[in-house]
Amino acid sequence: MILTVTLNTALDITYRVTSLRPHAEHRVSEVVERPGGKGVNVARVLAALGYGVTVTGFAGGPTGQVLRERLAGAPGITDALVPVAGPTRRTVAVVDQRTGDTTQLNEPGPHIGPAEWAAFLRAYDTLLADASAVALCGSLPPGVPVGAYAGLIRVARTAGVPVLLDTGGEPLRRGIAARPDIVKPNAAELAELTGSHEPARATRDARRRGAQAVVASLGADGLLAATPEGHWRAAPPARLRGNPTGAGDAAVAGLLSGLVDGLPWPARLTRATALSAAAVLAPTAGEFDPADYARLLAAATVTDEESAA
Amino acid sequence: MILTVTLNTALDITYRVTSLRPHAEHRVSEVVERPGGKGVNVARVLAALGYGVTVTGFAGGPTGQVLRERLAGAPGITDALVPVAGPTRRTVAVVDQRTGDTTQLNEPGPHIGPAEWAAFLRAYDTLLADASAVALCGSLPPGVPVGAYAGLIRVARTAGVPVLLDTGGEPLRRGIAARPDIVKPNAAELAELTGSHEPARATRDARRRGAQAVVASLGADGLLAATPEGHWRAAPPARLRGNPTGAGDAAVAGLLSGLVDGLPWPARLTRATALSAAAVLAPTAGEFDPADYARLLAAATVTDEESAA
C-alpha cells in the first residue's frame, strides 16, 4: 500500500453564498463536509486511480469523528489515524456564487501532546513495514516539533521506503536536509526556501539542499523538475480555467504512483501534470473526471530543461 | 421554571482573523464554540440572573451533540431538547480584528420530519405544565410548518402560561394572530409586518393584529412599547458603542423575567433596556457584566409616549 501522512487533518467545509460581503449576514445555501488535509486529498486521488492507500496522522474530537466516519465510506482508503484529545480542525471555504471565487478560513488544529506524538511514531513505524512509498503532507499542528518531518524521513529511509515531502516554511527547510526522495514545493514555498523567485534556479538550489528530486508546482505554468535523471518542465496542453484548490495534491498523487510503478521521470511528470490539470477542471476541489485525465495524459507535454540551465 | 423554545438551535462558532479579505486564505487565530439560537441565548441571560430555565427545541448530529455537552456545563439551564436525525446548524461569525466588525455565515438548519415535529409537540405540552412563562424564539428550520408558532401560542394560552414571541416574517405574521402576551420585533421585522417605517405607528398597528403587548427593539433608539397599561419608550442613558449581537435576546430575557416577577410595565422595560445595553457593552455576544447591568438599571429612562399617539 501507499501511505500518506497528514499530521494536521481537517474537516473541510464548503459554504455556498450568493455573494460574500464583509460585515454582512449571509444565509448559506449549501453545506458540504469532506475529510481533508493534504495527505487525505492525495489518498483520495490515489484511491480513485485504483491504488490501495492508508492514511495516518491525527484525528480527535467531534470533528475528528465525522472525518473518520466519512473516511470509512471512502472505498480503497484504510484509516490508520491516531486518536488525540484535541478536536481536528475545520477549514471553511466560502464560495461566492456570483464570482465563483473562494474565501478560505483555516482553523489552527489541535495541540498534540508528547504522548500523542510518541503514539504516532509507533504507528508510523508499524505502517512503514507494508508501505511501498510514503507521502508526508501539509502543515504541522501545534505541539509537533518543527523538525518532525526530518525525523519521519530518516525513519522511512532506514526502512527502505521512498518518501515524498510536501510542506512549506521551516518544516520544509528541516525536512529537505534529511534527504527525501522527492519534495514538491509550490512557487511560494520554493521562493521562501531558496530566496530566489527564478523557478529554474530555485528548483536546482532546493535539490542541492538534500532532496534527490525536486518538483515545483507552478500553477498555470505546470511543473518544473530537477531529478537525478535530468531536468524537465511539464505542462498541460493549454491554460485551464477552473478551481486550483487540490491541484497540488493531485500532482503529488501522480508523482507517488509513478514512483511506485517504477515509471521513468518524464512519465511520472506527465501523469502528475494530467492529474493536476484534471483536478483544476473538476467542480469539486481535489476530484477529477477520468475522461479529462485520460485526455490530458495524452496531451500533456514534457520538455527538456537541460539547455536552460 | 421559565421555558424557552428554539426550534432552530445552533452551534455558534466565532473565528478571529487579522483582517477578512474576500477571495484570500485566512489563518484563524482563535476559535470559540458556544450553544446558540435566540432561545438558548435568552436562557443564558435568564440563568445568569438566577432564574431556573429549561430549553427545548431540536438538536441532532455531531453539532447537536457538542451543543448539548456545552449546555450540560451551563449552570441553571436544563436541557429538554428533542433529538432529531439531521445535524444542528452552525453559525460562523468571523471577527475582523482590524476593524472589530463581524461577518456572519448561517447554515440553514436540519430538515425536521413529521414524526420529529410530533415528538416536539408532546414534549412542549409536558414542559408547559411546570412553566411560569414561555418564549418562542427565532427562525423555523426546514420542514416545520410556517404556522408553528401560532399553534404553540394557542397551546400555551390553553395551559394558562404567558407566552412571548420573538421571530420575523410569515411566522411572526401568523403567530401574532394567535394572541401572544408579548411580541418583540426589531425594527426590520416590525416594518415588514406592518408596512410602516414609522416605529410608533407600526408598534400600535402590530398590537392591533392580536398581540396583547408589542415591544419593538430599535437598536440605539432603545425600546418602544405598546401595552394594555400604556405606551412607553425606554432607553439607556447614552448611546453605547459595542457589539449589538445578542442585545435583542437580552431584552427578551428582561421582559420575560419582569413578567414572571409580576413587575409593572415600566419596570419590565427598564430591566429589558438595562440588560440589552449591558449586552452591547460585553465583549462576548449575549453575555453581560452584572456591574454594568446594575449601573444601567439605575440610569435607564422610561418616558410616556401617550401624548405622541
Side-chain angles (χ1 to χ4, degrees), chain A residues 13 15 17 21-28 31 33 62 66 90 92 94 99 101-108, chain B residues 13 15 17 21-28 31 33 62 66 90 92 94 99 101-108:
Chain A
I13 302 171
Y15 284 165
V17 301
R21 289 160 295 125
H23 315 149
E25 192 165 330
H26 304 77
R27 202 176 288 257
V28 174
V31 181
E33 286 185 352
V66 173
R90 285 170 288 224
V92 178
V94 185
T99 64
D101 285 318
T102 296
T103 305
Q104 189 75 35
L105 299 156
N106 296 334
E107 296 186 7
Chain B
I13 301 172
Y15 284 165
V17 300
R21 288 160 297 125
H23 316 150
E25 192 165 330
H26 303 77
R27 204 175 285 257
V28 174
V31 182
E33 286 185 353
V66 173
R90 287 169 288 224
V92 178
V94 185
T99 63
D101 284 318
T102 296
T103 306
Q104 188 75 36
L105 298 156
N106 297 333
E107 297 186 6

Side-chain angles (χ1 to χ4, degrees), chain A residues 98-188:
Chain A
R98 190 124 47 179
T99 64
D101 285 318
T102 296
T103 305
Q104 189 75 35
L105 299 156
N106 296 334
E107 296 186 7
H111 187 275
I112 305 300
E116 291 168 336
W117 180 239
F120 170 77
L121 290 176
R122 286 192 298 275
Y124 178 70
D125 213 45
T126 306
L127 289 164
L128 279 177
D130 293 323
S132 54
V134 57
L136 309 174
C137 302
S139 62
L140 302 177
V144 168
V146 70
Y149 282 139
L152 298 182
I153 289 164
R154 287 191 202 96
V155 172
R157 284 172 53 83
T158 302
V161 179
V163 54
L164 181 151
L165 177 63
D166 181 10
T167 188
E170 192 60 22
L172 171 59
R173 189 180 304 277
R174 305 251 189 137
I176 206 167
R179 304 190 59 74
D181 293 82
I182 307 172
V183 296
K184 194 225 60 63
N186 61 28

Side-chain angles (χ1 to χ4, degrees), chain A:
Chain A
M1 55 84 171
I2 299 175
L3 180 64
T4 74
V5 174
T6 317
L7 296 176
N8 213 358
T9 54
L11 184 62
D12 286 343
I13 302 171
T14 303
Y15 284 165
R16 290 190 184 277
V17 301
T18 307
S19 174
L20 180 65
R21 289 160 295 125
H23 315 149
E25 192 165 330
H26 304 77
R27 202 176 288 257
V28 174
S29 60
E30 189 191 315
V31 181
V32 175
E33 286 185 352
R34 210 175 58 156
K38 279 176 183 288
V40 173
N41 298 340
V42 170
R44 190 182 292 116
V45 175
L46 286 168
L49 292 171
Y51 295 85
V53 200
T54 298
V55 297
T56 188
F58 298 109
T63 41
Q65 198 177 326
V66 173
L67 183 148
R68 300 189 79 157
E69 283 165 13
R70 298 295 176 92
L71 272 185
I77 299 181
T78 302
D79 171 358
L81 294 165
V82 174
V84 286
T88 295
R89 70 192 172 121
R90 285 170 288 224
T91 74
V92 178
V94 185
V95 179
D96 183 317
Q97 295 189 286
R98 190 124 47 179
T99 64
D101 285 318
T102 296
T103 305
Q104 189 75 35
L105 299 156
N106 296 334
E107 296 186 7
H111 187 275
I112 305 300
E116 291 168 336
W117 180 239
F120 170 77
L121 290 176
R122 286 192 298 275
Y124 178 70
D125 213 45
T126 306
L127 289 164
L128 279 177
D130 293 323
S132 54
V134 57
L136 309 174
C137 302
S139 62
L140 302 177
V144 168
V146 70
Y149 282 139
L152 298 182
I153 289 164
R154 287 191 202 96
V155 172
R157 284 172 53 83
T158 302
V161 179
V163 54
L164 181 151
L165 177 63
D166 181 10
T167 188
E170 192 60 22
L172 171 59
R173 189 180 304 277
R174 305 251 189 137
I176 206 167
R179 304 190 59 74
D181 293 82
I182 307 172
V183 296
K184 194 225 60 63
N186 61 28
E189 290 161 349
L190 187 65
E192 193 192 348
L193 177 70
T194 63
S196 166
H197 287 272
E198 204 284 284
R201 179 190 300 268
T203 302
R204 286 157 200 252
D205 177 12
R207 187 163 177 253
R208 278 192 296 273
R209 287 165 186 262
Q212 293 174 54
V214 176
V215 181
S217 54
L218 305 174
D221 288 335
L223 302 175
L224 196 59
T227 83
E229 293 177 26
H231 297 71
W232 290 280
R233 181 180 293 273
R239 292 215 165 221
L240 304 165
R241 288 181 64 93
N243 180 1
T245 310
D249 302 332
V252 167
L255 296 173
L256 210 57
S257 64
L259 183 156
V260 166
D261 291 349
L263 299 185
W265 265 103
R268 295 187 200 178
L269 294 170
T270 303
R271 189 181 278 189
T273 301
L275 278 172
S276 181
V280 169
L281 293 178
T284 305
E287 308 207 339
F288 67 94
D289 180 330
D292 283 338
Y293 171 49
R295 181 172 58 78
L296 289 157
L297 204 51
T301 58
V302 177
T303 52
D304 201 306
E305 284 270 310
E306 241 20 283
S307 55

Side-chain angles (χ1 to χ4, degrees), chain B residues 27-28 73 78 95 102 108 147 160 200 203 226-227 236 239 241 273 301 303:
Chain B
R27 204 175 285 257
V28 174
T78 302
V95 179
T102 296
T203 302
T227 83
R239 288 208 168 226
R241 287 181 64 93
T273 300
T301 57
T303 52

